[in-house]
Amino acid sequence: MNAATDRGRALLFLPKSPLTQELDRIDATLSTERVFALDQARQLFREDLVMPLLRTSLLMSEPAGTLESLDELFALANAMEEEAAKRYSALAEEMRRQNKDALAEVFANLAAAEREHVDSVARWSQSRRGKAPDPALVRWEAPETFDAETAREIETSRLTTPYRALAMAVRNEERAFAFWSYVAAYSRDLEIKQAAEAMAREELGHISTLRKERRRAYHKEHEQTERRGRDDSAVMQIDARALELRLAAQLADLERGLAGAAAVRTRELVEETMQMSEKAEGIGKFPVSLEQRDAETISEALADGYLESAESAGDQTQVVLLQELAEGAIARLAWLRSLTVA
């Protein structure tokens, strides 16, 4: 085991994978109680409401095929974990390139944790089949469990925090859990069912660990925000309306440097932003320094602010308003980012 793996496990508090022990227990005994428990779990996964939920809200698409052997299951599990490790490593490198050291550390730790998962699958395959997973046995592409869209957003966002990065990781693990639950529910081979159920339980353990880390990051960020607020309470008094008006002025300046359809769309955004400012009075608290930032940064701060306010709003009418503002802010941000890419 390499130093990066040790470091990732230590920082993310990931225990050694129980997969090998779990499958050893399955090999050692298939008691009546154990079979009953597995049958109950499979019956739960087959409930009409549960599986459609897994398919639609977690899985981006249904599996393209079925697993015919344990060797194929090990090969696919190994490929999925290796792909996750590779993508987290790429994000860590990108964050280092952008001098975002805190985020680079989060993604480096996630990559190390995924490499530990790769090692777990390899040990499991060795103990069950006497050989390492064979990549050649991957016959079809697994459903996407890595949130590539959010990863791209993190790469370009100026406001991404460790909390948001860990929230993406939680979602990725939830999708992996949904995938293995799906395999367990629809496989006709008892051995594959049991192995897939063990993988699903393993993913639940990863989710639990990452949720704890996400909560720590959340509290740390909010403690820092509260501390800044106490130290400089006066500057934390501008609302979303003030930012919307500042953004409208920046968009008007931007329009003068554009031509054609881009200029027309920018002019429309100026009008939409002025309308949003009328609805945004008294919403949120933002540092006054945001007014000096560029249009994209302000747009992102407003989108996040509306979403956060919607989550805590108690009045349904206010929730609807905030969701409407959030949708407009997100669409506006996407358009501004398309200008940057172009």
Side-chain angles (χ1 to χ4, degrees):
M1 189 176 299
N2 57 39
T5 298
D6 287 338
R7 182 167 173 267
R9 179 188 290 169
L11 289 174
L12 286 179
F13 307 99
L14 288 175
K16 185 176 180 180
S17 169
L19 280 173
T20 302
Q21 298 93 313
E22 178 69 29
L23 270 293
D24 285 345
R25 285 196 294 271
I26 292 174
D27 270 346
T29 177
L30 278 175
S31 65
T32 302
E33 293 80 3
R34 179 63 173 161
V35 172
F36 176 77
L38 291 173
D39 286 343
Q40 290 295 99
R42 285 193 290 274
Q43 194 62 36
L44 173 63
F45 287 135
R46 286 183 180 277
E47 288 292 336
D48 290 342
L49 292 178
V50 174
M51 287 313 298
L53 176 64
L54 291 176
R55 289 198 296 267
T56 58
S57 68
L58 292 177
L59 289 179
M60 297 179 181
S61 62
E62 294 189 26
T66 57
L67 298 176
E68 303 297 336
S69 68
L70 273 185
D71 287 335
E72 195 176 342
L73 183 145
F74 293 143
L76 186 60
N78 185 71
M80 291 171 65
E81 301 291 3
E82 284 189 338
E83 179 65 16
K86 185 187 304 181
R87 294 198 184 188
Y88 283 134
S89 292
L91 281 170
E93 287 301 317
E94 177 61 22
M95 294 302 101
R96 290 191 192 98
R97 190 186 68 79
Q98 297 183 26
N99 296 318
K100 298 177 180 177
D101 295 337
L103 284 169
E105 183 177 17
V106 169
F107 287 120
N109 293 338
L110 288 169
E114 291 297 338
R115 285 190 290 271
E116 166 59 19
H117 302 167
V118 172
D119 292 343
S120 295
V121 173
R123 290 195 298 270
W124 185 15
S125 178
Q126 195 69 44
S127 70
R128 296 300 304 280
R129 308 298 296 166
K131 58 184 178 181
D134 183 0
L137 294 178
V138 179
R139 296 183 296 108
W140 43 271
E141 187 174 351
E144 182 65 77
T145 58
F146 193 92
D147 193 344
E149 183 177 348
T150 301
R152 287 191 294 271
E153 180 184 338
I154 285 173
E155 288 179 343
T156 59
S157 172
R158 295 180 175 91
L159 300 178
T160 297
T161 64
Y163 169 79
R164 291 184 68 186
L166 287 165
M168 180 192 72
V170 168
R171 190 68 171 172
N172 293 342
E173 296 295 339
E174 288 173 343
R175 289 194 174 110
F177 165 73
F179 170 72
W180 290 115
S181 298
Y182 189 100
V183 172
Y186 288 98
S187 177
R188 296 181 179 180
D189 183 280
L190 179 60
E191 196 172 34
I192 293 175
K193 284 180 184 292
Q194 294 167 358
E197 286 163 1
M199 284 297 301
R201 285 192 294 274
E202 182 78 352
E203 297 299 346
L204 280 179
H206 302 163
I207 292 167
S208 177
T209 298
L210 287 169
R211 281 184 180 277
K212 291 176 184 176
E213 291 302 309
R214 187 180 66 175
R215 282 197 298 273
R216 290 191 184 99
Y218 176 84
H219 290 305
K220 182 177 181 181
E221 289 171 20
H222 277 257
E223 286 171 4
Q224 291 172 343
T225 299
E226 290 173 2
R227 192 177 304 117
R228 287 195 298 269
R230 289 193 297 270
D231 292 343
D232 196 8
S233 58
V235 299
M236 295 294 289
Q237 298 304 311
I238 66 169
D239 62 5
R241 180 177 182 276
L243 278 185
E244 291 284 0
L245 289 172
R246 174 57 181 161
L247 180 58
Q250 290 193 353
L251 290 171
D253 290 340
L254 179 62
E255 180 199 347
R256 286 190 278 273
L258 298 174
V264 173
R265 178 56 186 144
T266 307
R267 193 175 309 121
E268 293 173 348
L269 280 179
V270 172
E271 295 174 3
E272 292 170 12
T273 300
M274 291 300 295
Q275 292 171 2
M276 290 171 69
S277 72
E278 295 175 4
K279 301 176 182 179
E281 186 171 3
I283 295 175
K285 289 184 178 181
F286 302 88
V288 71
S289 58
L290 265 176
E291 290 186 307
Q292 308 307 314
R293 303 294 295 275
D294 59 90
E296 186 176 326
T297 301
I298 293 176
S299 294
E300 186 172 7
L302 284 165
D304 284 345
Y306 293 140
L307 288 170
E308 290 173 6
S309 296
E311 289 178 359
S312 60
D315 178 69
Q316 185 59 33
T317 302
Q318 185 73 356
V319 170
V320 171
L321 170 63
L322 288 164
Q323 289 176 339
E324 176 188 327
L325 289 169
E327 289 174 5
I330 291 169
R332 181 173 59 198
L333 176 61
W335 187 82
L336 285 170
R337 283 179 173 162
S338 73
L339 275 185
T340 303
V341 173

